[in-house]
Amino acid sequence: MRIQRISAIFEKDLKDFMKNMMVALLPVTPVLMTLFFNQSGNGGLPVIMHYLIVGITFSVVTSGSIMTILAEENEKHTLRGLIQSPATLWDIIIGKSLVTGLVTVLSLAVSLFIVGIEPFLNFKIIMGIILLFLFFLLLGIGVGLFAKSVASTSAYLMIVMILFGFTPMITLLGIGEGSVIMNIIDMFPLMQVIEMHSAGTWAPLGVLTLWTAASGMFTFVCFQKVMTDD
Amino acid sequence: MNHAVDVKGLRKVFGRSTAVHHVDFQVKQGEIFGLLGPSGSGKTTIVKMLTGELSPTEGDVTVLGRSSERLGTSDFKTKIGILSDNSALYERLTVFDNLKLFCKLYDTPVHQIDVILRDMDLHEEGDKTVAKLSKGMKQRVLLAKALIHKPELVFLDEPTSALDPASMARIHRGLQKLNEAGTTIVLTTHNMEEATELCDRVAFLHQGEFQEIDSPAALRYAYSTHTFHVETFSGEQLVIENEPENAERMKQLIEDGRIKTMQTDHPTLGQIFLKVTGKELV
Ligand SMILES: Nc1ncnc2c1ncn2[C@@H]1O[C@H](COP(=O)(O)OP(=O)(O)OP(=O)(O)O)[C@@H](O)[C@H]1O
Ligand SMILES: [Mg+2]
């Protein structure tokens, strides 16, 4: 029953995704950037660039597509039809996330095929990357519901990309090591995965879990607002 | 007999403004019930409280035997059909794909799509992209979406507003057929002719309060002035009260062959509404 509803939403979203130029181009963007990085790095990219590619993919493809899909459903009032149907909140969230998940995996697989997957072949890192994916997914769902129109999502997406997707780039801006800003930025989700890579400790996984939980809370609050009209 | 909808002392307050003041009514099973009122009178707000999309500020709502706290369950949602004032379809997908999604969400066999498309006169349109349909066609697809799972009770918020007379007539025929098959219908409209034609009973809503609630025929009788309007061949306009003492006079007019036209004075629902509320519809 429940599986049937989830798969119905998945099937519909997949068709809709492929016919929506704006969203269908999103997964191509990180791959093009990867090709560009790979070209200029002439063989062997530093490990931090691998993580940057993950950050770009998750922010652009994961957050970007689910955000746009949901904002469109909200703006055009089709979401109301889903809410009026017997589908539960979870059926809707899971059904919608599956398409985004699939597209993210495909896009990331192509990028990692280009630059190599070695840095990630570690159980702890894989756990971290899965949590990071959930963080971006939930954040995208929350923003998509909150934004209410497709036009306004692009501004929010920029913020998500710059803060959470391109975080390693901020560290390259030359802000003094040990300054307050740097300490805060080091706590950001993507930086925590990089920290896990270099330090090999479990602590960053805890911080990452907190980020993901916060993002989940945000999504939950946004959904509650949409579910009732009050 | 159980009522499909039973509402007592219903009130809805948004911030500082009261959209619905203390409303009481019942909808009988198998009935077509119309909520009539001008824009902003609270029709949509009442419907949303009946479908569980809004919670009442005060009062008791029972729909299909369930109290308002239990209107959010999947079980309830499969028993009702909703056409909202802003219902929409997935524009990039075909009519068929739109309906297929809802078939699966409502656990209805997919072959039901063919049946409903035929009922709605849309069987030629199944493979068309929704974006390419006319407004009247889209409205019929939305209706098909609301009815595909054969609900016991349907809520239609302005099902025909802004449609041409032909599309409107098609939808009316569809709704009458549906009702004959036993479905209870609650609809809102500002179209008085629509209400007169379709509804078994109507409620006049004005600024969140019910002014009248009865069958269109009973209302028209109640507000009739009980007079005959007679036009003679010589061009006289006579107004004759429907009283025994006028019988001779009427008889004489008929015997003399002077009557060109004769009408009883039955106001339209629109005229009654104006009289009751001092306000035009629309
Ligand atoms: N979510 C809301 N928040 C605040 N006020 C609202 C909300 N929904 C409706 N209202 C107010 O409640 C009143 C009744 O609105 P409602 O939409 O029920 O009217 P209506 O009879 O359906 O009108 P129409 O014929 O234009 O659809 C209006 O004054 C409206 O501004
Ligand atoms: Mg309305």
Side-chain angles (χ1 to χ4, degrees), chain A residues 229-230, chain B residues 12-15 17-20 36-48 54 85 157-158 188-190 205 208 282:
Chain A
D229 263 323
D230 282 84
Chain B
K12 181 70 193 179
V13 179
F14 291 113
S17 73
T18 306
V20 177
L36 305 193
S39 192
S41 56
K43 302 182 294 295
T44 301
T45 307
I46 292 179
V47 169
K48 280 184 177 171
L54 273 180
D85 52 348
D157 198 354
E158 297 184 23
T188 77
T189 180
H190 358 104
L205 193 59
V282 193

mmCIF file of all heavy atoms in Angstrom, chain A residues 229-230, chain B residues 12-15 17-20 36-48 54 85 157-158 188-190 205 208 282, ligand 1:
data_model
loop_
_atom_site.group_PDB
_atom_site.id
_atom_site.type_symbol
_atom_site.label_atom_id
_atom_site.label_comp_id
_atom_site.label_asym_id
_atom_site.label_seq_id
_atom_site.Cartn_x
_atom_site.Cartn_y
_atom_site.Cartn_z
ATOM 1 N N ASP A 229 -3.726 24.943 6.535
ATOM 2 C CA ASP A 229 -3.835 26.241 5.885
ATOM 3 C C ASP A 229 -3.891 27.408 6.866
ATOM 4 O O ASP A 229 -3.928 28.552 6.463
ATOM 5 C CB ASP A 229 -5.112 26.284 5.038
ATOM 6 C CG ASP A 229 -4.810 25.964 3.604
ATOM 7 O OD1 ASP A 229 -3.750 26.396 3.145
ATOM 8 O OD2 ASP A 229 -5.625 25.299 2.957
ATOM 9 N N ASP A 230 -3.926 27.100 8.159
ATOM 10 C CA ASP A 230 -4.142 28.168 9.149
ATOM 11 C C ASP A 230 -3.125 29.299 9.048
ATOM 12 O O ASP A 230 -1.977 29.042 8.773
ATOM 13 C CB ASP A 230 -4.073 27.589 10.565
ATOM 14 C CG ASP A 230 -5.368 26.878 10.903
ATOM 15 O OD1 ASP A 230 -5.509 25.692 10.528
ATOM 16 O OD2 ASP A 230 -6.245 27.490 11.509
ATOM 17 N N LYS B 12 -14.946 30.113 12.580
ATOM 18 C CA LYS B 12 -13.528 30.153 12.220
ATOM 19 C C LYS B 12 -13.020 31.578 12.286
ATOM 20 O O LYS B 12 -13.584 32.483 11.661
ATOM 21 C CB LYS B 12 -13.311 29.594 10.803
ATOM 22 C CG LYS B 12 -11.863 29.585 10.370
ATOM 23 C CD LYS B 12 -11.053 28.546 11.134
ATOM 24 C CE LYS B 12 -9.565 28.734 10.961
ATOM 25 N NZ LYS B 12 -8.782 27.745 11.708
ATOM 26 N N VAL B 13 -11.981 31.760 13.061
ATOM 27 C CA VAL B 13 -11.384 33.091 13.214
ATOM 28 C C VAL B 13 -9.975 33.046 12.645
ATOM 29 O O VAL B 13 -9.199 32.143 12.960
ATOM 30 C CB VAL B 13 -11.347 33.476 14.711
ATOM 31 C CG1 VAL B 13 -10.720 34.841 14.897
ATOM 32 C CG2 VAL B 13 -12.755 33.444 15.299
ATOM 33 N N PHE B 14 -9.657 33.999 11.775
ATOM 34 C CA PHE B 14 -8.282 34.164 11.283
ATOM 35 C C PHE B 14 -7.742 35.437 11.915
ATOM 36 O O PHE B 14 -8.198 36.526 11.569
ATOM 37 C CB PHE B 14 -8.254 34.351 9.769
ATOM 38 C CG PHE B 14 -8.635 33.134 8.976
ATOM 39 C CD1 PHE B 14 -9.800 33.113 8.231
ATOM 40 C CD2 PHE B 14 -7.806 32.020 8.955
ATOM 41 C CE1 PHE B 14 -10.144 31.996 7.478
ATOM 42 C CE2 PHE B 14 -8.152 30.900 8.200
ATOM 43 C CZ PHE B 14 -9.315 30.890 7.465
ATOM 44 N N GLY B 15 -6.795 35.284 12.804
ATOM 45 C CA GLY B 15 -6.241 36.478 13.446
ATOM 46 C C GLY B 15 -7.347 37.280 14.095
ATOM 47 O O GLY B 15 -7.994 36.819 15.025
ATOM 48 N N SER B 17 -9.965 38.670 12.237
ATOM 49 C CA SER B 17 -11.243 38.664 11.525
ATOM 50 C C SER B 17 -11.928 37.305 11.614
ATOM 51 O O SER B 17 -11.276 36.262 11.565
ATOM 52 C CB SER B 17 -11.027 39.060 10.063
ATOM 53 O OG SER B 17 -10.405 38.010 9.388
ATOM 54 N N THR B 18 -13.232 37.335 11.751
ATOM 55 C CA THR B 18 -14.012 36.110 11.838
ATOM 56 C C THR B 18 -14.548 35.791 10.451
ATOM 57 O O THR B 18 -15.334 36.558 9.906
ATOM 58 C CB THR B 18 -15.176 36.299 12.825
ATOM 59 O OG1 THR B 18 -14.623 36.761 14.055
ATOM 60 C CG2 THR B 18 -15.900 34.991 13.070
ATOM 61 N N ALA B 19 -14.099 34.684 9.870
ATOM 62 C CA ALA B 19 -14.516 34.330 8.516
ATOM 63 C C ALA B 19 -15.854 33.598 8.540
ATOM 64 O O ALA B 19 -16.669 33.746 7.632
ATOM 65 C CB ALA B 19 -13.455 33.472 7.842
ATOM 66 N N VAL B 20 -16.091 32.781 9.572
ATOM 67 C CA VAL B 20 -17.349 32.040 9.696
ATOM 68 C C VAL B 20 -17.881 32.220 11.121
ATOM 69 O O VAL B 20 -17.175 31.956 12.088
ATOM 70 C CB VAL B 20 -17.128 30.533 9.400
ATOM 71 C CG1 VAL B 20 -18.413 29.757 9.606
ATOM 72 C CG2 VAL B 20 -16.612 30.334 7.978
ATOM 73 N N LEU B 36 -24.150 28.986 -1.178
ATOM 74 C CA LEU B 36 -24.172 30.137 -2.072
ATOM 75 C C LEU B 36 -23.754 31.382 -1.322
ATOM 76 O O LEU B 36 -24.210 31.617 -0.203
ATOM 77 C CB LEU B 36 -25.595 30.387 -2.586
ATOM 78 C CG LEU B 36 -26.321 29.270 -3.274
ATOM 79 C CD1 LEU B 36 -27.549 29.817 -3.963
ATOM 80 C CD2 LEU B 36 -25.422 28.650 -4.290
ATOM 81 N N GLY B 37 -22.946 32.170 -1.979
ATOM 82 C CA GLY B 37 -22.569 33.410 -1.316
ATOM 83 C C GLY B 37 -21.596 34.188 -2.167
ATOM 84 O O GLY B 37 -20.913 33.604 -3.003
ATOM 85 N N PRO B 38 -21.526 35.501 -1.951
ATOM 86 C CA PRO B 38 -20.598 36.312 -2.735
ATOM 87 C C PRO B 38 -19.152 36.032 -2.323
ATOM 88 O O PRO B 38 -18.913 35.322 -1.346
ATOM 89 C CB PRO B 38 -21.001 37.745 -2.386
ATOM 90 C CG PRO B 38 -21.698 37.664 -1.083
ATOM 91 C CD PRO B 38 -22.311 36.303 -1.013
ATOM 92 N N SER B 39 -18.222 36.600 -3.063
ATOM 93 C CA SER B 39 -16.816 36.426 -2.780
ATOM 94 C C SER B 39 -16.503 36.875 -1.351
ATOM 95 O O SER B 39 -16.966 37.921 -0.917
ATOM 96 C CB SER B 39 -16.028 37.246 -3.784
ATOM 97 O OG SER B 39 -14.697 36.903 -3.717
ATOM 98 N N GLY B 40 -15.748 36.060 -0.634
ATOM 99 C CA GLY B 40 -15.346 36.428 0.726
ATOM 100 C C GLY B 40 -16.371 36.104 1.794
ATOM 101 O O GLY B 40 -16.192 36.445 2.958
ATOM 102 N N SER B 41 -17.464 35.423 1.417
ATOM 103 C CA SER B 41 -18.506 35.149 2.410
ATOM 104 C C SER B 41 -18.159 33.952 3.301
ATOM 105 O O SER B 41 -18.860 33.698 4.277
ATOM 106 C CB SER B 41 -19.843 34.922 1.719
ATOM 107 O OG SER B 41 -19.732 33.886 0.777
ATOM 108 N N GLY B 42 -17.107 33.203 2.933
ATOM 109 C CA GLY B 42 -16.672 32.101 3.804
ATOM 110 C C GLY B 42 -16.943 30.711 3.258
ATOM 111 O O GLY B 42 -16.798 29.732 3.985
ATOM 112 N N LYS B 43 -17.303 30.602 1.970
ATOM 113 C CA LYS B 43 -17.618 29.295 1.395
ATOM 114 C C LYS B 43 -16.418 28.352 1.449
ATOM 115 O O LYS B 43 -16.526 27.221 1.937
ATOM 116 C CB LYS B 43 -18.056 29.451 -0.080
ATOM 117 C CG LYS B 43 -19.253 30.356 -0.291
ATOM 118 C CD LYS B 43 -19.661 30.418 -1.750
ATOM 119 C CE LYS B 43 -18.646 31.066 -2.676
ATOM 120 N NZ LYS B 43 -18.419 32.495 -2.421
ATOM 121 N N THR B 44 -15.293 28.819 0.932
ATOM 122 C CA THR B 44 -14.101 27.978 0.901
ATOM 123 C C THR B 44 -13.670 27.601 2.313
ATOM 124 O O THR B 44 -13.276 26.460 2.575
ATOM 125 C CB THR B 44 -12.970 28.711 0.158
ATOM 126 O OG1 THR B 44 -13.415 28.991 -1.164
ATOM 127 C CG2 THR B 44 -11.704 27.893 0.105
ATOM 128 N N THR B 45 -13.762 28.547 3.226
ATOM 129 C CA THR B 45 -13.352 28.284 4.611
ATOM 130 C C THR B 45 -14.205 27.160 5.204
ATOM 131 O O THR B 45 -13.677 26.263 5.869
ATOM 132 C CB THR B 45 -13.489 29.571 5.447
ATOM 133 O OG1 THR B 45 -12.790 30.607 4.773
ATOM 134 C CG2 THR B 45 -12.920 29.395 6.825
ATOM 135 N N ILE B 46 -15.514 27.184 4.961
ATOM 136 C CA ILE B 46 -16.384 26.124 5.482
ATOM 137 C C ILE B 46 -15.996 24.777 4.870
ATOM 138 O O ILE B 46 -15.813 23.785 5.576
ATOM 139 C CB ILE B 46 -17.876 26.441 5.216
ATOM 140 C CG1 ILE B 46 -18.310 27.637 6.067
ATOM 141 C CG2 ILE B 46 -18.756 25.228 5.527
ATOM 142 C CD1 ILE B 46 -19.761 28.055 5.879
ATOM 143 N N VAL B 47 -15.832 24.759 3.534
ATOM 144 C CA VAL B 47 -15.476 23.498 2.874
ATOM 145 C C VAL B 47 -14.164 22.948 3.424
ATOM 146 O O VAL B 47 -14.057 21.759 3.720
ATOM 147 C CB VAL B 47 -15.401 23.684 1.337
ATOM 148 C CG1 VAL B 47 -14.786 22.463 0.679
ATOM 149 C CG2 VAL B 47 -16.787 23.937 0.776
ATOM 150 N N LYS B 48 -13.176 23.813 3.619
ATOM 151 C CA LYS B 48 -11.886 23.334 4.120
ATOM 152 C C LYS B 48 -12.000 22.754 5.528
ATOM 153 O O LYS B 48 -11.248 21.858 5.886
ATOM 154 C CB LYS B 48 -10.862 24.468 4.125
ATOM 155 C CG LYS B 48 -10.250 24.723 2.765
ATOM 156 C CD LYS B 48 -9.182 25.781 2.897
ATOM 157 C CE LYS B 48 -8.477 26.045 1.591
ATOM 158 N NZ LYS B 48 -7.606 27.234 1.725
ATOM 159 N N LEU B 54 -8.609 22.680 7.346
ATOM 160 C CA LEU B 54 -8.551 23.751 8.342
ATOM 161 C C LEU B 54 -9.204 23.211 9.603
ATOM 162 O O LEU B 54 -10.177 22.463 9.519
ATOM 163 C CB LEU B 54 -9.375 24.956 7.883
ATOM 164 C CG LEU B 54 -8.756 26.026 7.012
ATOM 165 C CD1 LEU B 54 -9.786 27.094 6.703
ATOM 166 C CD2 LEU B 54 -7.543 26.638 7.667
ATOM 167 N N ASP B 85 -10.775 25.254 -4.867
ATOM 168 C CA ASP B 85 -10.834 26.459 -5.685
ATOM 169 C C ASP B 85 -9.550 26.652 -6.484
ATOM 170 O O ASP B 85 -9.560 27.293 -7.514
ATOM 171 C CB ASP B 85 -11.138 27.689 -4.825
ATOM 172 C CG ASP B 85 -10.196 27.823 -3.638
ATOM 173 O OD1 ASP B 85 -9.463 26.870 -3.347
ATOM 174 O OD2 ASP B 85 -10.217 28.890 -3.005
ATOM 175 N N ASP B 157 -15.516 23.021 -4.857
ATOM 176 C CA ASP B 157 -15.478 24.452 -4.588
ATOM 177 C C ASP B 157 -15.481 25.194 -5.917
ATOM 178 O O ASP B 157 -14.489 25.183 -6.636
ATOM 179 C CB ASP B 157 -14.231 24.794 -3.758
ATOM 180 C CG ASP B 157 -14.347 26.148 -3.085
ATOM 181 O OD1 ASP B 157 -15.327 26.880 -3.348
ATOM 182 O OD2 ASP B 157 -13.454 26.481 -2.287
ATOM 183 N N GLU B 158 -16.585 25.797 -6.249
ATOM 184 C CA GLU B 158 -16.784 26.492 -7.520
ATOM 185 C C GLU B 158 -16.361 25.649 -8.725
ATOM 186 O O GLU B 158 -15.447 26.011 -9.448
ATOM 187 C CB GLU B 158 -16.048 27.833 -7.497
ATOM 188 C CG GLU B 158 -16.640 28.705 -6.416
ATOM 189 C CD GLU B 158 -16.046 30.107 -6.381
ATOM 190 O OE1 GLU B 158 -15.530 30.545 -7.414
ATOM 191 O OE2 GLU B 158 -16.135 30.736 -5.335
ATOM 192 N N THR B 188 -19.982 24.696 -3.829
ATOM 193 C CA THR B 188 -20.126 26.132 -3.592
ATOM 194 C C THR B 188 -20.243 26.799 -4.957
ATOM 195 O O THR B 188 -19.739 26.291 -5.940
ATOM 196 C CB THR B 188 -18.900 26.748 -2.895
ATOM 197 O OG1 THR B 188 -17.866 26.907 -3.862
ATOM 198 C CG2 THR B 188 -18.407 25.889 -1.744
ATOM 199 N N THR B 189 -20.944 27.910 -4.985
ATOM 200 C CA THR B 189 -21.076 28.616 -6.264
ATOM 201 C C THR B 189 -21.528 30.036 -6.020
ATOM 202 O O THR B 189 -22.079 30.347 -4.966
ATOM 203 C CB THR B 189 -22.076 27.890 -7.189
ATOM 204 O OG1 THR B 189 -22.185 28.595 -8.417
ATOM 205 C CG2 THR B 189 -23.459 27.774 -6.571
ATOM 206 N N HIS B 190 -21.265 30.942 -6.988
ATOM 207 C CA HIS B 190 -22.005 32.188 -6.941
ATOM 208 C C HIS B 190 -23.008 32.239 -8.070
ATOM 209 O O HIS B 190 -23.605 33.252 -8.321
ATOM 210 C CB HIS B 190 -21.227 33.504 -6.961
ATOM 211 C CG HIS B 190 -19.763 33.498 -6.980
ATOM 212 N ND1 HIS B 190 -19.021 33.766 -8.080
ATOM 213 C CD2 HIS B 190 -18.885 33.326 -5.960
ATOM 214 C CE1 HIS B 190 -17.753 33.760 -7.758
ATOM 215 N NE2 HIS B 190 -17.636 33.491 -6.505
ATOM 216 N N LEU B 205 -25.114 32.209 2.201
ATOM 217 C CA LEU B 205 -24.073 32.614 3.128
ATOM 218 C C LEU B 205 -23.755 34.080 2.878
ATOM 219 O O LEU B 205 -23.535 34.495 1.738
ATOM 220 C CB LEU B 205 -22.849 31.741 2.853
ATOM 221 C CG LEU B 205 -21.725 31.738 3.865
ATOM 222 C CD1 LEU B 205 -22.221 31.289 5.222
ATOM 223 C CD2 LEU B 205 -20.646 30.781 3.394
ATOM 224 N N GLY B 208 -20.140 35.235 6.419
ATOM 225 C CA GLY B 208 -19.872 34.159 7.367
ATOM 226 C C GLY B 208 -21.074 33.670 8.147
ATOM 227 O O GLY B 208 -20.925 32.919 9.102
ATOM 228 N N VAL B 282 -21.976 37.489 -6.914
ATOM 229 C CA VAL B 282 -20.840 37.659 -7.820
ATOM 230 C C VAL B 282 -19.742 38.531 -7.222
ATOM 231 O O VAL B 282 -20.005 39.358 -6.386
ATOM 232 C CB VAL B 282 -21.218 38.271 -9.186
ATOM 233 C CG1 VAL B 282 -20.041 38.094 -10.139
ATOM 234 C CG2 VAL B 282 -22.441 37.579 -9.774
HETATM 235 N N1 LIG C 1 -5.811 31.446 5.438
HETATM 236 C C1 LIG C 1 -6.461 32.595 5.709
HETATM 237 N N2 LIG C 1 -5.935 33.516 6.534
HETATM 238 C C2 LIG C 1 -6.597 34.658 6.808
HETATM 239 N N3 LIG C 1 -7.789 34.997 6.334
HETATM 240 C C3 LIG C 1 -8.388 34.127 5.504
HETATM 241 C C4 LIG C 1 -7.753 32.874 5.147
HETATM 242 N N4 LIG C 1 -8.581 32.214 4.308
HETATM 243 C C5 LIG C 1 -9.667 33.007 4.147
HETATM 244 N N5 LIG C 1 -9.562 34.144 4.861
HETATM 245 C C6 LIG C 1 -10.585 35.214 4.947
HETATM 246 O O1 LIG C 1 -11.822 34.631 5.278
HETATM 247 C C7 LIG C 1 -12.881 35.233 4.563
HETATM 248 C C8 LIG C 1 -13.686 34.196 3.800
HETATM 249 O O2 LIG C 1 -12.879 33.682 2.748
HETATM 250 P P1 LIG C 1 -13.306 32.482 1.818
HETATM 251 O O3 LIG C 1 -12.127 32.147 0.956
HETATM 252 O O4 LIG C 1 -13.869 31.389 2.643
HETATM 253 O O5 LIG C 1 -14.455 33.138 0.937
HETATM 254 P P2 LIG C 1 -15.234 32.527 -0.307
HETATM 255 O O6 LIG C 1 -16.683 32.639 0.017
HETATM 256 O O7 LIG C 1 -14.710 31.190 -0.633
HETATM 257 O O8 LIG C 1 -14.891 33.555 -1.460
HETATM 258 P P3 LIG C 1 -14.688 33.297 -3.051
HETATM 259 O O9 LIG C 1 -16.050 33.246 -3.640
HETATM 260 O O10 LIG C 1 -13.944 34.505 -3.481
HETATM 261 O O11 LIG C 1 -13.908 32.040 -3.203
HETATM 262 C C9 LIG C 1 -12.254 36.286 3.671
HETATM 263 O O12 LIG C 1 -12.416 37.542 4.308
HETATM 264 C C10 LIG C 1 -10.801 35.896 3.617
HETATM 265 O O13 LIG C 1 -9.988 37.036 3.490
#
